[in-house]
Amino acid sequence: MSTPPLVDARGLRCPVPVVRVARVARDLAPGAVVVLLADDVAARSDVPAWARMRGHAVDLEDEDGWTRYTVRVGGGSAARST
């Protein structure tokens, strides 16, 4: 199994994290995963909103001062936070 693409947007502010993950996700097949790392507080609402609009699923996992967003392309509209 291959490692999913990783978009490290820590230190970048809105709208850059969403723009960068969207750029990677558009080239992926349905069911593929892309991981976004971001520390911008706006991303906590922007990334799930973008995912819903595009029909992707996203899981949020808080790390030490930043959040890991695991986006499943074409995976539905659920957003889960841990």
Side-chain angles (χ1 to χ4, degrees):
M1 183 174 202
S2 66
T3 303
L6 176 67
V7 177
D8 189 347
R10 291 175 290 187
L12 302 174
R13 298 294 166 238
C14 178
V16 177
V18 171
V19 170
R20 290 205 175 163
V21 74
R23 189 176 298 146
V24 171
R26 74 177 175 213
D27 295 329
L28 298 177
V33 170
V34 58
V35 175
L36 168 68
L37 310 179
D39 56 5
D40 181 21
V41 294
R44 287 195 65 83
S45 59
D46 291 350
V47 173
W50 162 80
R52 274 191 307 277
M53 288 188 307
R54 297 292 181 206
H56 307 321
V58 62
D59 288 325
L60 286 66
E61 184 178 342
D62 291 325
E63 300 289 343
D64 188 24
W66 51 276
T67 303
R68 174 185 309 270
Y69 302 85
T70 302
V71 178
R72 181 163 308 276
V73 175
S77 61
R80 296 183 297 265
S81 179
T82 59

